[in-house]
C-alpha cells in the first residue's frame, strides 16, 4: 500500500528515510511548513504519522487549526510554530518528514 496519493501534483517534500511501509502506528513524526488551518494535516498527514507539528506565518491560521482539526486530532499536534521556514530550526534527528508542498515556490535562490 502506498502511503501517498500519486494524484497530488506539485508535491514537494524532504524525506528522511524510506516510508514505503509506514502506517499510523509507526511512531514517526512530521512537521508541516505552510500548514494553514490544517487541511493536509487532517486529510493526509495524521493518517500516516503519529504526530504532526504545524508551521505557518499566520497565527490566525494556526489558531483556526484547533477548531478545524477538532479536539481528538489536536492531541496529535504537539506544537504550532508561527514563523517562516527560513526562521524555523528543526529539532535534530526528530522529524521523519518535513512537508513543504507549495511553500517551496516562495524560497528565493541566493
Amino acid at each position: 500500500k502506498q502511503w501517498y496519493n500519486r494524484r497530488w501534483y506539485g508535491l514537494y517534500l524532504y524525506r528522511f528515510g524510506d516510508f514505503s511501509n509506514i502506517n499510523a502506528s509507526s511512531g514517526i513524526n512530521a512537521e508541516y511548513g505552510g500548514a494553514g488551518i490544517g487541511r493536509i494535516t487532517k486529510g493526509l498527514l495524521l493518517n500516516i504519522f503519529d504526530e504532526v507539528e504545524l508551521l505557518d506565518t499566520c497565527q490566525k491560521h494556526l489558531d483556526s487549526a484547533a477548531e478545524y482539526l477538532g479536539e481528538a486530532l489536536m492531541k496529535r499536534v504537539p506544537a504550532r510554530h508561527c514563523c517562516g521556514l527560513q526562521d524555523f530550526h528543526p529539532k535534530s534527528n526528530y522529524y521523519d518528514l518535513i512537508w513543504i508542498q507549495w511553500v517551496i515556490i516562495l524560497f528565493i535562490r541566493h
Side-chain angles (χ1 to χ4, degrees):
K1 178 179 175 183
Q2 290 182 333
W3 67 273
Y4 66 95
N5 185 334
R6 288 185 185 264
R7 292 178 294 168
W8 286 52
Y9 297 109
L11 173 69
Y12 300 95
L13 53 91
Y14 189 74
R15 290 176 45 155
F16 295 96
D18 179 10
F19 298 141
S20 59
N21 295 311
I22 66 172
N23 57 52
S25 62
S26 299
I28 56 178
N29 304 298
E31 188 280 326
Y32 180 14
I37 64 168
R39 287 183 288 254
I40 301 299
T41 301
K42 184 176 185 176
L44 178 70
L45 297 176
L46 285 173
N47 293 318
I48 299 169
F49 299 95
D50 288 338
E51 294 183 341
V52 177
E53 293 186 10
L54 307 180
L55 183 144
D56 201 282
T57 58
C58 180
Q59 186 63 50
K60 185 176 179 180
H61 289 162
L62 293 171
D63 294 341
S64 296
E67 182 179 338
Y68 180 76
L69 295 173
E71 188 176 335
L73 290 179
M74 277 305 293
K75 291 178 182 176
R76 296 174 49 207
V77 177
R80 290 178 280 172
H81 308 278
C82 187
C83 65
L85 284 173
Q86 70 277 11
D87 299 318
F88 179 66
H89 302 286
K91 300 173 196 172
S92 182
N93 298 315
Y94 180 76
Y95 301 105
D96 298 291
L97 176 127
I98 296 177
W99 185 278
I100 54 174
Q101 196 165 336
W102 65 271
V103 179
I104 191 72
I105 65 173
L106 299 178
F107 279 96
I108 299 172
R109 194 167 151 181
H110 293 284

